Amino acid sequence: MTPTVWFNCCAGVAGDMLLASLIDAGADRLAVMDAWGALGLDGYAATWEPVQRCGVGSLWTNIAIDAPDHDHDHDHPHRPASEVLALIADADLPAPVAANALAVYRRLAEVEGAIHGMDPDDVELHEVGALDSILDVVGVCAALHDLGVERVTYSPIAVGHGTVDTAHGRLPNPVPAVTRLLVAADARTTGVDTTMELSTPTGVALLTVLGDACGPMPAMTVAATGFGAGTADPPGRPNVVQAIVGSSESVAAPEADSTGRPCHLLEANVDDVTGEVLAHTITSLLAAGAHDAWVTPIVMKKGRPAHTVSALCDDAAFEQTRRVLIDETGTLGVRASVVRRWPQQRVERSVEVDGHEIRLKVSGHRVKAEHDDARRAAASLGLPLREVLARAEQLGSLD
């Protein structure tokens, strides 16, 4: 049996709601505060207060931040992602807490980098880099560790519509970071008729990075439950995240089925595009939210050598992917069809090779090292890339 938590996100999700739900379910708040203390930060005070949300008794995380770190006009300090990652890596945190918090912030940096066309290390984190968001991420990871949770699952995530005001200005609701996180995790959503920002990047990142399944509550023996409240108390629905903690059967590799997940295959044939532009197009398609993108050599009419540029994407990224395909290649036409894909469940881990941290993707049948991490380590250590990849994947297979 595997210690498991299932989060019910029918009203949306935010980092402070997840944290409060876990404490309400029995996580030791002192363990959370010890993790915060290890960060060496000051200028804040935190309490957990019992509240009612549409008649549901719940716990509210109240973190008060001293100015100028936080105010109601989104005037947060712009912390670079590298600074936040270094802060967590240098803290004296339990290894699982640090690893999970780092994984969450790496994903946030990757998403923000893709949105702004920047290297993830150079991204300036606005709301998600503010002190309260850092406390939420580290606090949730510490609470999960205190409860002994080994598996995180979650329901479809509620989102609103319209626009919301952010540090970048007025953006669509849900905001781009949230939609990219959802796409990367193949997570499902449920729409709510409200212009409130129901789900924040911090909350969605915690779920999609730490969680391995999105859907109904798994078969489990329930040990505890808790409710974490959002700040708002809208009429007609409880603004809470519910955490249900217990034990579930160990996850087995899913059997192949005949349904799969539908997605769009977009393609364009081009015979006048250079190799440099094709390579850039692939990068741009992935940054636009495509699951995958590739180029296939073909022969067109009159025996002309040419290429087919292909991309797989979900509904949420369809229009942006189509536009990138047109803009980058200059094609006069794009075709699309609906195909099905069977993504395998996987989790992210990290190992160290001679002092260099390398991220891994681990599924039921293989361990794969992150190429960019291994490349940097190989260059620093003066080792062949294949040797660093092999060592990292061997370490990952031993966990």
Side-chain angles (χ1 to χ4, degrees):
M1 302 294 285
T2 302
T4 300
V5 63
W6 180 72
F7 291 108
N8 186 347
C9 306
C10 62
V13 64
D16 58 345
M17 297 168 75
L18 291 172
L19 177 55
S21 72
L22 291 169
I23 290 177
D24 198 39
D28 187 352
R29 63 189 69 190
L30 293 179
V32 171
M33 297 176 74
D34 285 345
W36 288 348
L39 297 172
L41 299 172
D42 54 20
Y44 68 91
T47 58
W48 286 276
E49 303 174 15
V51 295
Q52 292 283 324
R53 292 292 181 261
C54 200
V56 175
S58 49
L59 207 60
W60 175 49
T61 303
N62 182 12
I63 299 178
I65 306 295
D66 292 343
D69 196 275
H70 182 81
D71 66 27
H72 296 295
D73 296 322
H74 302 282
D75 188 22
H76 307 288
H78 299 173
R79 288 185 175 91
S82 56
E83 179 182 321
V84 178
L85 291 169
L87 173 70
I88 297 170
D90 293 343
D92 185 19
L93 293 165
V97 176
N100 284 337
L102 288 170
V104 170
Y105 266 105
R106 286 195 189 98
R107 179 65 56 80
L108 284 167
E110 290 167 1
V111 165
E112 292 289 346
I115 292 171
H116 301 297
M118 299 175 61
D119 186 287
D121 289 338
D122 298 329
V123 168
E124 294 281 338
L125 299 177
H126 293 265
E127 284 91 346
V128 295
L131 178 54
D132 49 358
S133 291
I134 296 171
L135 297 176
D136 288 341
V137 170
V138 173
V140 168
C141 295
L144 291 169
H145 181 61
D146 181 69
L147 290 170
V149 169
E150 297 177 9
R151 185 185 180 210
V152 175
T153 62
Y154 55 98
S155 74
I157 300 170
V159 295
H161 59 86
T163 60
V164 294
D165 292 325
T166 74
H168 292 290
R170 185 163 292 177
L171 296 180
N173 181 22
V175 296
V178 165
T179 56
R180 286 180 180 270
L181 288 163
L182 294 170
V183 167
D186 295 307
R188 296 193 292 280
T189 62
T190 180
V192 177
D193 187 13
T194 179
T195 56
M196 288 177 57
E197 185 183 18
L198 299 182
S199 294
T200 69
T202 303
V204 175
L206 281 162
L207 289 181
T208 57
V209 173
L210 304 183
D212 67 6
C214 174
M217 185 173 75
M220 59 191 295
T221 302
V222 175
T225 185
F227 290 93
T231 301
D233 188 13
R237 57 184 175 83
N239 185 26
V240 297
V241 166
Q242 181 183 24
I244 297 180
V245 182
S247 298
S248 64
E249 293 185 3
S250 298
V251 182
E255 296 181 0
D257 59 64
S258 60
T259 56
R261 295 181 182 176
C263 64
H264 299 281
L265 172 62
L266 287 83
E267 294 183 317
N269 292 349
V270 292
D271 62 1
D272 59 351
V273 180
T274 67
E276 292 89 346
V277 170
L278 289 172
H280 176 73
T281 300
I282 297 300
T283 300
S284 299
L285 289 168
L286 295 173
H291 292 298
D292 201 0
W294 63 95
V295 173
T296 307
I298 60 171
V299 176
M300 292 176 62
K301 62 185 179 181
K302 300 180 180 180
R304 294 174 183 168
H307 297 89
T308 298
V309 184
S310 307
L312 281 177
C313 68
D314 288 329
D315 288 339
F318 179 87
E319 188 55 37
Q320 180 66 12
T321 303
R322 185 185 70 85
R323 175 50 54 191
V324 168
L325 190 54
I326 293 172
D327 290 347
E328 295 295 345
T329 67
T331 182
L332 297 178
V334 173
R335 60 185 177 272
S337 58
V338 176
V339 298
R340 294 187 178 274
R341 60 192 293 264
W342 285 263
Q344 300 301 297
Q345 289 187 359
R346 55 194 181 271
V347 296
E348 287 193 358
R349 296 177 185 165
S350 295
V351 296
E352 279 197 4
V353 174
D354 291 347
H356 293 267
E357 185 178 12
I358 297 177
R359 290 168 290 170
L360 305 172
K361 289 186 175 69
V362 182
S363 66
H365 61 286
R366 70 175 299 186
V367 177
K368 182 174 176 58
E370 188 71 34
H371 173 81
D372 288 345
D373 291 355
R375 176 180 55 80
R376 284 191 289 265
S380 176
L381 296 170
L383 296 174
L385 174 61
R386 57 184 176 81
E387 180 178 337
V388 175
L389 289 169
R391 289 173 61 182
E393 290 168 1
Q394 182 179 19
L395 288 170
S397 67
L398 297 176
D399 290 346

